[in-house]
Amino acid sequence: MKIMRARYSIILLLFTALPISAIVEFQDGQPVEMQLTTDTPLESETPDKMASPIGKSSAPDGFTNNAFGDEVCERLEFGQAMPVITTQEDPLPSWNEGPSKKAIIEFVMRITTEGSPDFVPMAERIATFDNDGTLWAEQPIYFQLAFALDRVKILAPQHAEWNEKEPFASLLKGDLKAVLAGGEPAIFEILMATHAGMTTQEFENIVKEWISSARHPKTGRLYTEMVYEPMLELLAYLRSSGFKIFIVSGGGIEFMRPWAEKVYGIPAEQIVGSSIKTKYEIRDGRPVLVRLPEMNFYDDKAGKPIGIHSHIGRRPIAAFGNSDGDLEMLQWTAAGIGPRFMLIVHHTDAEREWAYDRKSSIGRLDKALDEAKAKGWTIVSIKDDWKRVFPFGAK
Amino acid sequence: MKIMRARYSIILLLFTALPISAIVEFQDGQPVEMQLTTDTPLESETPDKMASPIGKSSAPDGFTNNAFGDEVCERLEFGQAMPVITTQEDPLPSWNEGPSKKAIIEFVMRITTEGSPDFVPMAERIATFDNDGTLWAEQPIYFQLAFALDRVKILAPQHAEWNEKEPFASLLKGDLKAVLAGGEPAIFEILMATHAGMTTQEFENIVKEWISSARHPKTGRLYTEMVYEPMLELLAYLRSSGFKIFIVSGGGIEFMRPWAEKVYGIPAEQIVGSSIKTKYEIRDGRPVLVRLPEMNFYDDKAGKPIGIHSHIGRRPIAAFGNSDGDLEMLQWTAAGIGPRFMLIVHHTDAEREWAYDRKSSIGRLDKALDEAKAKGWTIVSIKDDWKRVFPFGAK
């Protein structure tokens, strides 16, 4: 296996973020489930079998709640009047009244009012959203990391050599401390063993299978239910206001694409993320793309503006994040000419979700919090600004 | 200057394709204009000052000819009936009746007829187009190469050292043979000196300035007028049939974006191309992306399916090219499940355009022509299939 030394950052991001205090509970060859056993759901309502949060959110009058609405129309050539957002309607019913909600709505009004000096033509209404911690939760570990750990367990029977070979042997024994002692190469090997070596189609199938069945350890919900209801409303509001929405995530682009359209209404071509290299091959007379154990692009921190420029080719006028990994995306967005909107989701609600910021190993929010305060960016406090957090649970 | 040895192919593609018989005419420090002087226009009509071909093409009844139509509508959430393409209308008036035109229209009918087993939902109607030789001309040299040569001349006064330093000294003396004798490193240095070292915004401005003023050596037309009228009609036809259209070109992504939206109606985020690396920096308190002299991605041949997968994340159902550089894109498209359409533009018209294929150093069409014939892909003969070639000239 070819080990590239150039780009370990994403791996470090994923793996060194593991809270060690949690890891030591892993035992008896069950590194994930032992620790991440479902306990009391965060919200007390009985879980239902909701496959997708879309369709559950309550759309305000006058708003289409079809997250796929842009699919219906975006290829047509015929002009059409924009839906008028009046102040009588509430596009964000899960948001408490307050400065955050007010700032969002005022920005949208400002850039969509024709004749206003701040009017922005539709083609330039680009909004970029981080995913982990911004659109869906990221505790107790990044969900893609849960996927990787699950995959090691699933693949272990086909890899008898892993019982003797590090870092897999330690991982399968539940000794994640020993795994981490192997440093970057060990971590890289786990990531590549679970994300590379198959065709892109095979990987898509693997992700679809996992995402439709794996359960969050804390709530027992599907991971796709661990999305933030207020953010789904925000996506719908921006979409209905003429925005084209992109995900710009440090997570793997091919990990997100199989489910993001269904969950967020964001199509594959509007997702930007980290990637590994692929290789074009003819197998049995048919072309395939094979995923290689080599980093291609690291879409976090300074990588986010680069990913935005590469994929979108336009500067966003609005950007949404939750951690220091989003700082450069927010700076890049803020530096454009004309009206801009920068927002940070601050995880302040230990009861309904999690509370963490400057000292968290996952989703650390430190420098970006300072800069947001200094520059007057909108800081959303989940505890104060959101009436509800997830699509499930009490209203 | 950092020289990466990994990816010279694109440079070779651009530069070794130069017909030497043409090059030797370069003299007296005027390597480009001496050779590429305007002579008799290909078509005899007096040139007019058309900035963009859009709006000139004759739209059939019932068709919007606004290439930016999708910009107006694509962000809206409201569903809308598709425009009905009836057989009474001719969506491709610049195409002669024949098997190529028939195949295009039959394919579009087939996949847009609701209730048909071959119906394709709109989200999956992805079409990819090569650019050089498919949407605009590529003779006598790739237009991006003409740009690079023009840039060396323009930059020379700021680089006194170039008078002594190869490969610039030879290039400025018009001795391109000596330049080519320097091999790949010499060629790479010219490309990087003209495409790297500035911010992305600066490069965009440079391209815009060039594309709005530089003239094609044969016709005296702006390069953006050297687009194929029948292909503009095809773009409009597909767009009005619910397709999302992407350019997938071996050319530079940042070379195409500044003008492709105006000329083709294809927005920046739907352009895939070759790229160099960029670096995020704060300059004078403002973030910029600096273009580095290092290849990032080579979007030609086997790179095209990789670029498609990376940017679009869906397999096209229709692909359009003209050279061996498009073969893998066509194979990748053909290998999908369900109805597919693969088309090759064959340059067969020495009178109205150029005639070249298997032995051309530019836009070589050899293996892909054989495969197209073997697999029954549509092969367009410009001489036979197109009533007119460019938007200017006699109808």
Side-chain angles (χ1 to χ4, degrees), chain B residues 276-296:
Chain B
I276 58 177
K277 288 194 186 294
T278 60
K279 182 169 182 283
Y280 182 83
E281 279 184 19
I282 305 286
R283 286 187 178 176
D284 302 327
R286 283 175 60 88
V288 293
L289 292 175
V290 180
R291 291 170 59 82
L292 304 179
E294 186 179 337
M295 280 305 291
N296 176 58

PDB file of all heavy atoms in Angstrom, chain B residues 276-296:
ATOM      1  N   ILE B 276      -4.004  24.387 -12.154  1.00  0.00           N
ATOM      2  CA  ILE B 276      -2.775  24.415 -11.379  1.00  0.00           C
ATOM      3  C   ILE B 276      -3.159  24.619  -9.918  1.00  0.00           C
ATOM      4  O   ILE B 276      -4.299  24.945  -9.597  1.00  0.00           O
ATOM      5  CB  ILE B 276      -1.804  25.517 -11.860  1.00  0.00           C
ATOM      6  CG1 ILE B 276      -2.453  26.904 -11.785  1.00  0.00           C
ATOM      7  CG2 ILE B 276      -1.338  25.226 -13.278  1.00  0.00           C
ATOM      8  CD1 ILE B 276      -1.506  28.035 -12.193  1.00  0.00           C
ATOM      9  N   LYS B 277      -2.213  24.393  -9.034  1.00  0.00           N
ATOM     10  CA  LYS B 277      -2.510  24.527  -7.617  1.00  0.00           C
ATOM     11  C   LYS B 277      -2.642  26.009  -7.246  1.00  0.00           C
ATOM     12  O   LYS B 277      -2.083  26.883  -7.903  1.00  0.00           O
ATOM     13  CB  LYS B 277      -1.411  23.873  -6.775  1.00  0.00           C
ATOM     14  CG  LYS B 277      -1.441  22.350  -6.848  1.00  0.00           C
ATOM     15  CD  LYS B 277      -0.578  21.735  -5.764  1.00  0.00           C
ATOM     16  CE  LYS B 277      -0.472  20.229  -5.916  1.00  0.00           C
ATOM     17  NZ  LYS B 277      -1.753  19.520  -5.701  1.00  0.00           N
ATOM     18  N   THR B 278      -3.389  26.253  -6.175  1.00  0.00           N
ATOM     19  CA  THR B 278      -3.476  27.606  -5.639  1.00  0.00           C
ATOM     20  C   THR B 278      -3.189  27.566  -4.142  1.00  0.00           C
ATOM     21  O   THR B 278      -3.275  26.519  -3.507  1.00  0.00           O
ATOM     22  CB  THR B 278      -4.878  28.226  -5.844  1.00  0.00           C
ATOM     23  OG1 THR B 278      -5.847  27.408  -5.175  1.00  0.00           O
ATOM     24  CG2 THR B 278      -5.232  28.335  -7.305  1.00  0.00           C
ATOM     25  N   LYS B 279      -2.844  28.722  -3.615  1.00  0.00           N
ATOM     26  CA  LYS B 279      -2.490  28.833  -2.200  1.00  0.00           C
ATOM     27  C   LYS B 279      -3.251  30.002  -1.581  1.00  0.00           C
ATOM     28  O   LYS B 279      -3.300  31.087  -2.167  1.00  0.00           O
ATOM     29  CB  LYS B 279      -0.982  29.070  -2.087  1.00  0.00           C
ATOM     30  CG  LYS B 279      -0.442  29.169  -0.670  1.00  0.00           C
ATOM     31  CD  LYS B 279       1.094  29.131  -0.689  1.00  0.00           C
ATOM     32  CE  LYS B 279       1.660  29.177   0.705  1.00  0.00           C
ATOM     33  NZ  LYS B 279       1.619  30.542   1.261  1.00  0.00           N
ATOM     34  N   TYR B 280      -3.831  29.746  -0.411  1.00  0.00           N
ATOM     35  CA  TYR B 280      -4.573  30.777   0.319  1.00  0.00           C
ATOM     36  C   TYR B 280      -3.598  31.634   1.108  1.00  0.00           C
ATOM     37  O   TYR B 280      -2.779  31.104   1.867  1.00  0.00           O
ATOM     38  CB  TYR B 280      -5.555  30.093   1.261  1.00  0.00           C
ATOM     39  CG  TYR B 280      -6.454  31.018   2.059  1.00  0.00           C
ATOM     40  CD1 TYR B 280      -7.617  31.528   1.505  1.00  0.00           C
ATOM     41  CD2 TYR B 280      -6.154  31.340   3.374  1.00  0.00           C
ATOM     42  CE1 TYR B 280      -8.463  32.347   2.238  1.00  0.00           C
ATOM     43  CE2 TYR B 280      -6.991  32.161   4.120  1.00  0.00           C
ATOM     44  CZ  TYR B 280      -8.146  32.662   3.542  1.00  0.00           C
ATOM     45  OH  TYR B 280      -8.988  33.462   4.270  1.00  0.00           O
ATOM     46  N   GLU B 281      -3.674  32.938   0.930  1.00  0.00           N
ATOM     47  CA  GLU B 281      -2.794  33.857   1.653  1.00  0.00           C
ATOM     48  C   GLU B 281      -3.569  35.093   2.087  1.00  0.00           C
ATOM     49  O   GLU B 281      -4.538  35.476   1.426  1.00  0.00           O
ATOM     50  CB  GLU B 281      -1.669  34.359   0.730  1.00  0.00           C
ATOM     51  CG  GLU B 281      -0.511  33.423   0.561  1.00  0.00           C
ATOM     52  CD  GLU B 281       0.585  34.062  -0.302  1.00  0.00           C
ATOM     53  OE1 GLU B 281       0.609  35.308  -0.446  1.00  0.00           O
ATOM     54  OE2 GLU B 281       1.391  33.290  -0.828  1.00  0.00           O
ATOM     55  N   ILE B 282      -3.102  35.710   3.154  1.00  0.00           N
ATOM     56  CA  ILE B 282      -3.637  37.021   3.534  1.00  0.00           C
ATOM     57  C   ILE B 282      -2.640  38.071   3.050  1.00  0.00           C
ATOM     58  O   ILE B 282      -1.479  38.060   3.450  1.00  0.00           O
ATOM     59  CB  ILE B 282      -3.841  37.139   5.065  1.00  0.00           C
ATOM     60  CG1 ILE B 282      -4.717  36.001   5.606  1.00  0.00           C
ATOM     61  CG2 ILE B 282      -4.415  38.509   5.424  1.00  0.00           C
ATOM     62  CD1 ILE B 282      -6.184  36.095   5.285  1.00  0.00           C
ATOM     63  N   ARG B 283      -3.100  38.951   2.156  1.00  0.00           N
ATOM     64  CA  ARG B 283      -2.235  40.022   1.656  1.00  0.00           C
ATOM     65  C   ARG B 283      -2.885  41.360   1.999  1.00  0.00           C
ATOM     66  O   ARG B 283      -4.016  41.612   1.593  1.00  0.00           O
ATOM     67  CB  ARG B 283      -2.079  39.931   0.129  1.00  0.00           C
ATOM     68  CG  ARG B 283      -1.175  38.808  -0.310  1.00  0.00           C
ATOM     69  CD  ARG B 283      -0.921  38.876  -1.814  1.00  0.00           C
ATOM     70  NE  ARG B 283      -0.004  37.819  -2.215  1.00  0.00           N
ATOM     71  CZ  ARG B 283       0.345  37.575  -3.472  1.00  0.00           C
ATOM     72  NH1 ARG B 283      -0.137  38.327  -4.452  1.00  0.00           N
ATOM     73  NH2 ARG B 283       1.179  36.585  -3.766  1.00  0.00           N
ATOM     74  N   ASP B 284      -2.152  42.194   2.697  1.00  0.00           N
ATOM     75  CA  ASP B 284      -2.697  43.493   3.124  1.00  0.00           C
ATOM     76  C   ASP B 284      -4.030  43.311   3.833  1.00  0.00           C
ATOM     77  O   ASP B 284      -4.983  44.070   3.596  1.00  0.00           O
ATOM     78  CB  ASP B 284      -2.867  44.428   1.915  1.00  0.00           C
ATOM     79  CG  ASP B 284      -1.551  44.654   1.187  1.00  0.00           C
ATOM     80  OD1 ASP B 284      -0.500  44.662   1.865  1.00  0.00           O
ATOM     81  OD2 ASP B 284      -1.582  44.819  -0.046  1.00  0.00           O
ATOM     82  N   GLY B 285      -4.105  42.284   4.652  1.00  0.00           N
ATOM     83  CA  GLY B 285      -5.308  42.066   5.447  1.00  0.00           C
ATOM     84  C   GLY B 285      -6.460  41.414   4.693  1.00  0.00           C
ATOM     85  O   GLY B 285      -7.517  41.181   5.264  1.00  0.00           O
ATOM     86  N   ARG B 286      -6.269  41.129   3.421  1.00  0.00           N
ATOM     87  CA  ARG B 286      -7.342  40.506   2.629  1.00  0.00           C
ATOM     88  C   ARG B 286      -6.900  39.152   2.103  1.00  0.00           C
ATOM     89  O   ARG B 286      -5.781  39.002   1.623  1.00  0.00           O
ATOM     90  CB  ARG B 286      -7.712  41.392   1.435  1.00  0.00           C
ATOM     91  CG  ARG B 286      -8.563  42.594   1.792  1.00  0.00           C
ATOM     92  CD  ARG B 286      -8.760  43.469   0.565  1.00  0.00           C
ATOM     93  NE  ARG B 286      -9.429  42.740  -0.519  1.00  0.00           N
ATOM     94  CZ  ARG B 286     -10.744  42.655  -0.657  1.00  0.00           C
ATOM     95  NH1 ARG B 286     -11.532  43.270   0.189  1.00  0.00           N
ATOM     96  NH2 ARG B 286     -11.272  41.984  -1.658  1.00  0.00           N
ATOM     97  N   PRO B 287      -7.800  38.159   2.176  1.00  0.00           N
ATOM     98  CA  PRO B 287      -7.412  36.842   1.661  1.00  0.00           C
ATOM     99  C   PRO B 287      -7.383  36.817   0.132  1.00  0.00           C
ATOM    100  O   PRO B 287      -8.238  37.417  -0.519  1.00  0.00           O
ATOM    101  CB  PRO B 287      -8.519  35.929   2.194  1.00  0.00           C
ATOM    102  CG  PRO B 287      -9.682  36.806   2.461  1.00  0.00           C
ATOM    103  CD  PRO B 287      -9.143  38.172   2.758  1.00  0.00           C
ATOM    104  N   VAL B 288      -6.407  36.136  -0.393  1.00  0.00           N
ATOM    105  CA  VAL B 288      -6.311  35.925  -1.846  1.00  0.00           C
ATOM    106  C   VAL B 288      -5.927  34.470  -2.098  1.00  0.00           C
ATOM    107  O   VAL B 288      -5.409  33.782  -1.218  1.00  0.00           O
ATOM    108  CB  VAL B 288      -5.243  36.844  -2.505  1.00  0.00           C
ATOM    109  CG1 VAL B 288      -5.664  38.306  -2.443  1.00  0.00           C
ATOM    110  CG2 VAL B 288      -3.875  36.627  -1.860  1.00  0.00           C
ATOM    111  N   LEU B 289      -6.197  34.015  -3.305  1.00  0.00           N
ATOM    112  CA  LEU B 289      -5.703  32.717  -3.758  1.00  0.00           C
ATOM    113  C   LEU B 289      -4.636  32.997  -4.813  1.00  0.00           C
ATOM    114  O   LEU B 289      -4.905  33.653  -5.823  1.00  0.00           O
ATOM    115  CB  LEU B 289      -6.829  31.878  -4.365  1.00  0.00           C
ATOM    116  CG  LEU B 289      -7.900  31.394  -3.388  1.00  0.00           C
ATOM    117  CD1 LEU B 289      -9.020  30.668  -4.138  1.00  0.00           C
ATOM    118  CD2 LEU B 289      -7.290  30.455  -2.346  1.00  0.00           C
ATOM    119  N   VAL B 290      -3.432  32.500  -4.537  1.00  0.00           N
ATOM    120  CA  VAL B 290      -2.302  32.747  -5.437  1.00  0.00           C
ATOM    121  C   VAL B 290      -2.089  31.518  -6.311  1.00  0.00           C
ATOM    122  O   VAL B 290      -2.059  30.385  -5.821  1.00  0.00           O
ATOM    123  CB  VAL B 290      -1.020  33.049  -4.629  1.00  0.00           C
ATOM    124  CG1 VAL B 290       0.155  33.308  -5.568  1.00  0.00           C
ATOM    125  CG2 VAL B 290      -1.252  34.231  -3.702  1.00  0.00           C
ATOM    126  N   ARG B 291      -1.974  31.724  -7.594  1.00  0.00           N
ATOM    127  CA  ARG B 291      -1.779  30.624  -8.545  1.00  0.00           C
ATOM    128  C   ARG B 291      -0.320  30.181  -8.543  1.00  0.00           C
ATOM    129  O   ARG B 291       0.578  30.978  -8.783  1.00  0.00           O
ATOM    130  CB  ARG B 291      -2.228  31.073  -9.937  1.00  0.00           C
ATOM    131  CG  ARG B 291      -3.747  31.267 -10.018  1.00  0.00           C
ATOM    132  CD  ARG B 291      -4.179  31.937 -11.309  1.00  0.00           C
ATOM    133  NE  ARG B 291      -3.793  31.197 -12.496  1.00  0.00           N
ATOM    134  CZ  ARG B 291      -4.462  30.148 -13.001  1.00  0.00           C
ATOM    135  NH1 ARG B 291      -5.558  29.730 -12.419  1.00  0.00           N
ATOM    136  NH2 ARG B 291      -4.034  29.533 -14.088  1.00  0.00           N
ATOM    137  N   LEU B 292      -0.104  28.916  -8.274  1.00  0.00           N
ATOM    138  CA  LEU B 292       1.245  28.370  -8.137  1.00  0.00           C
ATOM    139  C   LEU B 292       1.687  27.648  -9.408  1.00  0.00           C
ATOM    140  O   LEU B 292       0.868  27.047 -10.101  1.00  0.00           O
ATOM    141  CB  LEU B 292       1.290  27.374  -6.968  1.00  0.00           C
ATOM    142  CG  LEU B 292       0.831  27.904  -5.610  1.00  0.00           C
ATOM    143  CD1 LEU B 292       0.911  26.790  -4.567  1.00  0.00           C
ATOM    144  CD2 LEU B 292       1.668  29.096  -5.180  1.00  0.00           C
ATOM    145  N   PRO B 293       2.989  27.675  -9.683  1.00  0.00           N
ATOM    146  CA  PRO B 293       3.495  26.995 -10.887  1.00  0.00           C
ATOM    147  C   PRO B 293       3.622  25.486 -10.674  1.00  0.00           C
ATOM    148  O   PRO B 293       4.711  24.919 -10.715  1.00  0.00           O
ATOM    149  CB  PRO B 293       4.862  27.653 -11.107  1.00  0.00           C
ATOM    150  CG  PRO B 293       5.298  28.059  -9.744  1.00  0.00           C
ATOM    151  CD  PRO B 293       4.043  28.431  -8.994  1.00  0.00           C
ATOM    152  N   GLU B 294       2.493  24.861 -10.440  1.00  0.00           N
ATOM    153  CA  GLU B 294       2.492  23.427 -10.139  1.00  0.00           C
ATOM    154  C   GLU B 294       1.158  22.855 -10.627  1.00  0.00           C
ATOM    155  O   GLU B 294       0.094  23.351 -10.260  1.00  0.00           O
ATOM    156  CB  GLU B 294       2.613  23.256  -8.621  1.00  0.00           C
ATOM    157  CG  GLU B 294       2.774  21.835  -8.171  1.00  0.00           C
ATOM    158  CD  GLU B 294       2.903  21.761  -6.633  1.00  0.00           C
ATOM    159  OE1 GLU B 294       3.288  22.771  -6.002  1.00  0.00           O
ATOM    160  OE2 GLU B 294       2.586  20.700  -6.102  1.00  0.00           O
ATOM    161  N   MET B 295       1.209  21.829 -11.433  1.00  0.00           N
ATOM    162  CA  MET B 295      -0.031  21.235 -11.935  1.00  0.00           C
ATOM    163  C   MET B 295      -0.837  20.647 -10.776  1.00  0.00           C
ATOM    164  O   MET B 295      -0.296  20.056  -9.847  1.00  0.00           O
ATOM    165  CB  MET B 295       0.249  20.122 -12.943  1.00  0.00           C
ATOM    166  CG  MET B 295       0.563  20.586 -14.351  1.00  0.00           C
ATOM    167  SD  MET B 295      -0.692  21.682 -15.108  1.00  0.00           S
ATOM    168  CE  MET B 295      -2.055  20.536 -15.342  1.00  0.00           C
ATOM    169  N   ASN B 296      -2.143  20.826 -10.836  1.00  0.00           N
ATOM    170  CA  ASN B 296      -3.044  20.232  -9.858  1.00  0.00           C
ATOM    171  C   ASN B 296      -3.807  19.063 -10.457  1.00  0.00           C
ATOM    172  O   ASN B 296      -3.841  17.983  -9.886  1.00  0.00           O
ATOM    173  CB  ASN B 296      -4.040  21.289  -9.372  1.00  0.00           C
ATOM    174  CG  ASN B 296      -5.061  20.723  -8.425  1.00  0.00           C
ATOM    175  OD1 ASN B 296      -4.702  20.165  -7.379  1.00  0.00           O
ATOM    176  ND2 ASN B 296      -6.326  20.833  -8.771  1.00  0.00           N
TER     177      ASN B 296
END
